[in-house]
Amino acid sequence: MSWCCCNSVCTSSSRQLLATSDLSSIPSRVSNVGLKQKRSLCGVPKVFAYYGLKTPPYKLDALEPYMSQKMLEVHWGEHHCGYVEALNKQLEKNDMLYGCTMDELIKVTYNNGNPLPEFGVAAQVWNHDFFWESMKPGGGDMPKLGLLQLIEKDFGSFTNFKEKFIEAALTLFGSGWIWLVLNREEKRLAIIKTSNAVNPLVWNDIPLIGLDLWEHAYYLDYKVTHSSSFLLSAKRFFLMCLSLFPLFSQNDKANYVNVFMNHLVSWDVALGRMARAQAFVNLGEPKIPVA
Amino acid sequence: MAATASANSLTSTFLPRQGVYGSSHQSIQLRTQKFARKAGSGTITAKFELQPPPYPMDALEPHMSSRTFEFHWGKHHRAYVDNLNKQINGTELDGKTLEDLILVTYNKGAPLPAFNNAAQAWNHQFFWESMKPNGGGEPSGELLELINRDFGSYDTFVKEFKAAAATQFGSGWAWLAYKPEEKKLAVVKTPNAENPLVLGYTPLLTIDVWEHAYYLDFQNRRPDYISIFMEKLVSWEAVSSRLKAATA
């Protein structure tokens, strides 16, 4: 998961910046990279680079009509941005956490289940980056190649996996996330639900897909509409007609989760993540054909 | 299920109920229980009913929109009540009061499946009754005295309450509660469906900080929602009468 953060230390004599990590390694999609200068107590300038808000790998209207532009503007532009700003503010006060990668920051602040104050915001920054990248315009459909084989091996069939994923999503109470992960120890895929900001990195598992189930993720787009209500305003009626949702179910969360699976999830990205995961997890001997 | 008058017409004006502000949490159990005799079978089943808030759905505009009520009460609260009834029907939990149900299903921290629905049904009713049209202002009388005594000043209490509500990460509630053993007031924040009943405290005031409570009106601006709640919505009469019942 790419991030931008660099640690710089000045020598008191030269007052020059010695960057401990190369600024050119910052991915080009990162915006809002800020370099701020602060005077330390002895007057030597210290430079801190802060985390930036990454843009999703598609335009904000690219997921319409399944996830509206308005939804993304609020979810990414306010929630996700808010988490990034809050994280930067907290890190400003805590020197000990500088120099960590985002993954390290999450594990360290998770503190084996007694999370430090920075954990919530740090994890939510990561989670949302992961979430945007878990979706794509024209998503859904089915996974392919090795990922499909692994899903079929560990869940019986893709249909069965999909049912279990949706069931997990619908039985999560409160705010949280649903993940498809590669369990490192058991070397198999698993569906995991987590509360609030927790993510599978804290257990050293490798996430392949993440779905945001905080209410803010679907509230603007997927509110229920009672068919018996006479209150439909003209605007809402118009939006209903525009909507291409196949089912107008009474359950907004179910609608959102189904749409995610059918139209948004990026199996390409999941496949890439799984390929990378195989560098760390031995999923078995390769099949060498016998001549 | 006996139909509640307001079930289908979400815009109806709800008749103000008698004695709402004079109720302790005990009397909520009486209003939410209704015994219905099944035709022919001679079985009595207790079913909880979705009670309407004690004011019309548009009465808290513009601070809490009628649209929010449509979803928050009409969908979320209704679902908790309906699902609770489904879960307890025919089990040994059937027939208990809502408060008993909460304590039993909390199961000392290892909650049983019905806990979430039971607690959320109770929490939401308590929440509607914690607000009123033209609410806000400041408390008075014994309540204000206790607040000054236990928090130093009303302003300090407000600060603490707002901070609890703002820092409850994820879904949850913030409360002003009375601790009967210490005979003191306290601000408490709880995650998800938990409430001070399970801690042995007497709740006096609550604010819902699940995102569904403020998303339509405030999006992610939870602090603004909390401020508006304190300035324009809180029913200090309800809080005072709950305190009176608790200290009686």
Side-chain angles (χ1 to χ4, degrees):
Chain A
M1 179 56 49
S2 33
W3 49 273
C4 80
C5 175
C6 72
N7 231 349
S8 309
V9 170
C10 315
T11 58
S12 53
S13 55
S14 66
R15 285 191 163 220
Q16 274 187 352
L17 302 177
L18 298 176
T20 54
S21 75
D22 192 355
L23 280 175
S24 63
S25 68
I26 297 171
S28 58
R29 268 203 294 116
V30 171
S31 60
N32 303 339
V33 178
L35 291 177
K36 245 176 157 167
Q37 264 196 324
K38 254 177 149 178
R39 298 248 153 216
S40 67
L41 284 175
C42 59
V44 174
K46 282 206 284 189
V47 173
F48 306 92
Y50 291 87
Y51 287 93
L53 176 67
K54 260 165 69 174
T55 54
Y58 36 75
K59 289 199 188 146
L60 294 188
D61 62 355
L63 302 182
E64 294 264 12
Y66 307 109
M67 192 175 278
S68 66
Q69 176 175 352
K70 170 81 182 164
M71 185 76 248
L72 274 165
E73 279 169 2
V74 178
H75 196 175
W76 172 75
E78 292 181 29
H79 288 272
H80 191 181
C81 184
Y83 286 127
V84 172
E85 285 172 2
L87 176 61
N88 289 333
K89 272 203 195 108
Q90 288 186 335
L91 290 182
E92 218 176 283
K93 302 175 197 158
N94 192 342
D95 275 2
M96 298 267 294
L97 296 173
Y98 271 116
C100 295
T101 64
M102 185 60 97
D103 291 28
E104 287 168 351
L105 186 62
I106 288 168
K107 283 195 191 141
V108 162
T109 53
Y110 184 66
N111 196 25
N112 292 314
N114 275 318
L116 306 179
E118 295 84 354
F119 173 74
V121 285
Q124 284 291 82
V125 171
W126 188 96
N127 293 343
H128 282 87
D129 281 340
F130 193 83
F131 177 51
W132 307 132
E133 289 167 5
S134 297
M135 295 187 289
K136 67 169 194 176
D141 205 12
M142 281 189 54
K144 297 182 179 65
L145 305 174
L147 181 55
L148 179 60
Q149 283 176 13
L150 208 53
I151 286 177
E152 284 171 348
K153 168 176 148 298
D154 292 332
F155 292 98
S157 67
F158 176 69
T159 310
N160 194 36
F161 153 74
K162 199 167 148 184
E163 265 175 36
K164 292 255 172 333
F165 190 87
I166 293 175
E167 190 196 326
L170 297 183
T171 53
L172 173 70
F173 188 73
S175 306
W177 298 75
I178 302 291
W179 311 87
L180 171 63
V181 304
L182 179 61
N183 183 313
R184 247 190 246 249
E185 273 184 30
E186 295 176 24
K187 301 188 206 296
R188 52 175 292 137
L189 295 178
I191 295 168
I192 293 189
K193 34 185 185 185
T194 60
S195 284
N196 294 346
V198 179
N199 64 38
L201 295 180
V202 307
W203 301 297
N204 214 27
D205 284 338
I206 303 177
L208 304 178
I209 293 284
L211 172 59
D212 190 351
L213 283 174
W214 284 57
E215 285 172 322
H216 66 237
Y218 58 92
Y219 215 68
L220 289 184
D221 280 349
Y222 290 88
K223 298 179 297 297
V224 82
T225 302
H226 288 279
S227 55
S228 59
S229 164
F230 298 111
L231 272 188
L232 285 180
S233 67
K235 185 180 172 188
R236 280 171 60 206
F237 185 72
F238 179 64
L239 286 172
M240 258 177 74
C241 294
L242 275 188
S243 149
L244 297 177
F245 307 132
L247 284 171
F248 222 93
S249 94
Q250 294 288 313
N251 188 331
D252 48 2
K253 193 161 141 184
N255 215 0
Y256 163 66
V257 177
N258 273 289
V259 164
F260 173 82
M261 288 304 286
N262 294 331
H263 299 286
L264 290 172
V265 67
S266 172
W267 289 116
D268 298 334
V269 162
L271 187 63
R273 288 165 176 164
M274 202 200 88
R276 275 201 299 280
Q278 287 183 279
F280 301 94
V281 181
N282 183 356
L283 289 174
E285 295 300 320
K287 287 199 175 67
I288 300 168
V290 176
Chain B
M1 170 174 176
T4 34
S6 46
N8 292 320
S9 171
L10 296 173
T11 54
S12 66
T13 302
F14 304 124
L15 296 170
R17 279 172 297 148
Q18 293 297 323
V20 163
Y21 300 127
S23 59
S24 68
H25 66 268
Q26 280 296 318
S27 64
I28 288 180
Q29 86 207 29
L30 300 172
R31 287 197 302 280
T32 53
Q33 245 183 339
K34 183 171 170 121
F35 290 85
R37 199 171 279 276
K38 271 189 192 166
S41 68
T43 333
I44 300 181
T45 50
K47 271 190 178 293
F48 294 104
E49 267 188 25
L50 177 66
Q51 299 289 328
Y55 35 74
M57 279 210 317
D58 58 359
L60 302 190
E61 293 262 15
H63 315 298
M64 189 175 279
S65 63
S66 63
R67 195 129 174 273
T68 291
F69 269 100
E70 208 185 306
F71 293 111
H72 199 179
W73 174 82
K75 186 209 156 238
H76 289 277
H77 190 183
R78 184 186 302 279
Y80 290 128
V81 172
D82 289 348
N83 290 334
L84 175 64
N85 285 331
K86 278 185 213 147
Q87 270 179 321
I88 62 173
N89 186 25
T91 70
E92 76 264 12
L93 297 173
D94 210 344
K96 288 189 185 301
T97 66
L98 193 52
E99 280 86 355
D100 282 347
L101 207 50
I102 289 170
L103 294 173
V104 163
T105 54
Y106 183 66
N107 197 25
K108 296 180 190 160
L112 307 177
F115 172 75
N116 286 336
N117 288 319
Q120 285 291 81
W122 190 96
N123 294 344
H124 280 88
Q125 189 163 345
F126 193 82
F127 177 51
W128 310 135
E129 292 169 3
S130 297
M131 296 187 287
K132 67 165 197 175
N134 302 313
E138 291 195 12
S140 56
E142 193 198 341
L143 175 60
L144 182 60
E145 276 174 33
L146 274 191
I147 286 178
N148 285 332
R149 185 196 75 182
D150 294 336
F151 294 98
S153 69
Y154 172 69
D155 287 338
T156 312
F157 154 69
V158 169
K159 224 168 138 193
E160 212 175 296
F161 186 80
K162 283 186 178 181
T167 55
Q168 177 50 45
F169 194 73
S171 307
W173 302 76
W175 308 81
L176 170 63
Y178 178 73
K179 294 166 139 182
E181 284 184 14
E182 297 168 47
K183 296 199 180 358
K184 280 185 76 164
L185 297 178
V187 163
V188 172
K189 60 183 181 188
T190 55
N192 294 345
E194 283 180 32
N195 63 34
L197 294 175
V198 308
L199 302 168
Y201 303 163
T202 306
L204 301 178
L205 171 68
T206 192
I207 180 172
D208 187 352
V209 290
W210 282 62
E211 286 175 325
H212 65 236
Y214 56 92
Y215 214 71
L216 294 179
D217 295 338
F218 293 92
Q219 287 81 62
N220 71 323
R221 302 185 309 275
R222 198 198 277 192
D224 289 350
Y225 159 66
I226 298 167
S227 293
I228 290 285
F229 175 83
M230 292 306 289
E231 287 161 23
K232 308 281 185 193
L233 292 174
V234 167
S235 167
W236 289 116
E237 286 91 344
V239 181
S240 286
S241 63
R242 288 162 178 167
L243 175 66
K244 204 169 162 190
T247 50

